[in-house]
Amino acid sequence: MTISEKKENFEFWLMDMDAAIDSFISKIALEDKSKLDFSIDSLCTIENWILQNYSSSDEVKNMSNSQMVDGAARYIGETFRKILGGKWFIDYSDKDNVFFGLPQLKDMKNQKAQICPLTLVSASASRRKGNFLINILRSHLK
């Protein structure tokens, strides 16, 4: 696949954001889906869902889970973006970058490091804290 085709796929991925998040939310087993309102506290709800469904980062990376993991990453990313500003982007210029070819967020309030929501899903599963996501977001608000 050429870089141009990859960029076009990313544009389709962006255009499908709302529908993909709606589909993700409709599929997750959660007693009170109204808690998924893109608020800071909703990150705890998503992280708890991640911890209940994935026992490790390896399980997150399993391709059979890709649609649900993508939905969780989109939700996390959109929550960060709505609270901290910024925009989605994808970088194909540096193959040595750990986030090469993965959707990221940039230009967020107080952002000092790269933020890749997909890797936040994986890190949440491996760290197993329950407050990992909310702590990252709060660090940007300080």
Side-chain angles (χ1 to χ4, degrees):
M1 184 178 294
T2 68
I3 297 293
S4 178
E5 290 169 326
K6 289 178 182 181
K7 287 180 179 180
E8 187 174 313
N9 283 346
F10 178 63
E11 290 301 318
F12 285 122
W13 185 86
L14 286 173
M15 288 187 296
D16 190 44
M17 185 68 68
D18 293 339
I21 290 172
D22 288 344
S23 176
F24 165 72
I25 290 171
S26 74
K27 291 176 185 171
I28 63 174
L30 188 62
E31 194 171 302
D32 186 3
K33 293 181 184 185
S34 68
K35 291 181 180 179
L36 298 179
D37 58 0
F38 299 100
S39 66
I40 293 172
D41 290 336
S42 73
L43 291 174
C44 288
T45 302
I46 286 294
E47 187 163 352
N48 286 331
W49 178 85
I50 292 167
L51 295 178
Q52 290 171 7
N53 288 276
Y54 304 104
S55 60
S56 68
S57 60
D58 288 336
E59 199 172 326
V60 168
K61 295 173 188 173
N62 185 321
M63 285 306 292
S64 67
N65 298 322
S66 63
Q67 187 176 20
M68 294 304 285
V69 170
D70 177 67
R74 286 173 185 256
Y75 182 87
I76 292 164
E78 281 296 281
T79 301
F80 272 63
R81 194 185 63 72
K82 289 175 187 226
I83 294 169
L84 300 170
K87 58 187 171 187
W88 288 96
F89 80 105
I90 200 161
D91 183 11
Y92 292 109
S93 65
D94 182 4
K95 290 183 180 181
D96 294 330
N97 185 320
V98 69
F99 301 131
F100 176 80
L102 296 175
Q104 300 175 62
L105 293 167
K106 67 178 179 179
D107 302 330
M108 294 186 313
K109 181 179 180 181
N110 299 322
Q111 185 173 2
K112 293 182 173 90
Q114 291 177 280
I115 296 286
C116 177
L118 185 61
T119 61
L120 293 178
V121 174
S122 179
S124 295
S126 66
R127 294 178 190 211
R128 312 215 56 82
K129 294 191 180 249
N131 62 357
F132 174 71
L133 296 172
I134 200 168
N135 285 340
I136 290 175
L137 190 136
R138 284 184 175 150
S139 72
H140 285 82
L141 292 173
K142 293 180 181 177

